[in-house]
Amino acid sequence: MAHNTKSSINELLVSLFNHVMDMEAKAVITEEYSDITNNDMHIIEAIGLEEPRNMSEIAHRLSVTVGTLTTNMNGLERKGYIRRSRSERDKRVVYVLLTDKGKKAFYHHRDFHKKMIRAIVRDLNEEEMEILYRCLVNLDRFLDPNTESGK
């Protein structure tokens, strides 16, 4: 691969990162959700719709400490997006659930991501999507501090 192509890929990745962050903030934090941040939306996404998650699981999914997450959860609970409850078996464990308002925000955020993925794969055949997937896995491994290639 020519140096020029590698340089172009680097510039494109930087540009994509900035555009995705800007566009996501504009698309997701609409007037209805102006009381929360894009970061809050990612917390809502990490909580998800499945069974209640405990604080440690959510913090792990977001690569943050439980202490950092607690601060954000206080705001999300105050604004009515989440509900916390203590485990009956172990009072130290706090579970988090999305309220109806939180679920609505979750779907709103997910719709943005669905539209983005449709735009990315629109002109790709199955083989090209596999190649794109492998490239993104490689990038994720490189960026993940918990993997060997991320070091």
Side-chain angles (χ1 to χ4, degrees):
M1 183 184 301
H3 172 72
N4 205 19
T5 304
K6 286 182 180 178
S7 177
S8 296
I9 290 172
N10 180 63
E11 289 172 17
L12 185 57
L13 284 171
V14 170
S15 175
L16 284 170
F17 176 78
N18 290 328
H19 286 311
V20 167
M21 296 305 286
D22 290 346
M23 190 176 162
E24 184 180 44
K26 288 179 185 132
V28 171
I29 305 303
T30 58
E31 190 174 326
E32 184 175 2
Y33 301 105
S34 61
D35 62 337
I36 58 174
T37 66
N38 209 25
N39 186 50
D40 289 332
M41 243 348 153
H42 288 128
I43 293 169
I44 288 169
E45 180 185 38
I47 294 166
L49 300 173
E50 301 90 33
E51 294 297 306
R53 294 194 192 281
N54 69 42
M55 291 286 284
S56 298
E57 291 171 324
I58 299 164
H60 178 75
R61 289 181 101 177
L62 295 166
S63 300
V64 298
T65 66
V66 172
T68 298
L69 185 60
T70 299
T71 304
N72 294 93
M73 289 295 187
N74 292 341
L76 286 171
E77 187 173 40
R78 192 174 57 251
K79 294 169 189 170
Y81 288 92
I82 65 153
R83 186 170 51 82
R84 290 186 275 198
S85 63
R86 292 209 176 268
S87 167
E88 290 298 315
R89 289 188 315 186
D90 184 346
K91 296 292 184 195
R92 296 170 298 176
V93 177
V94 175
Y95 287 105
V96 181
L97 283 157
L98 295 179
T99 61
D100 286 344
K101 183 178 180 181
K103 288 176 185 173
K104 190 174 177 197
F106 175 92
Y107 288 121
H108 174 70
H109 184 239
R110 189 178 68 179
D111 287 347
F112 166 77
H113 283 273
K114 281 183 172 180
K115 288 175 187 168
M116 183 175 65
I117 297 304
R118 275 198 303 271
I120 292 168
V121 301
R122 181 179 53 220
D123 299 328
L124 302 182
N125 64 37
E126 221 28 68
E127 184 182 348
E128 291 167 329
M129 281 196 279
E130 279 295 320
I131 293 168
L132 174 61
Y133 176 76
R134 286 198 320 265
C135 291
L136 293 173
V137 165
N138 289 341
L139 179 60
D140 187 54
R141 283 186 187 135
F142 174 76
L143 296 173
D144 186 347
N146 299 317
T147 62
E148 281 304 307
S149 59
K151 292 179 180 173

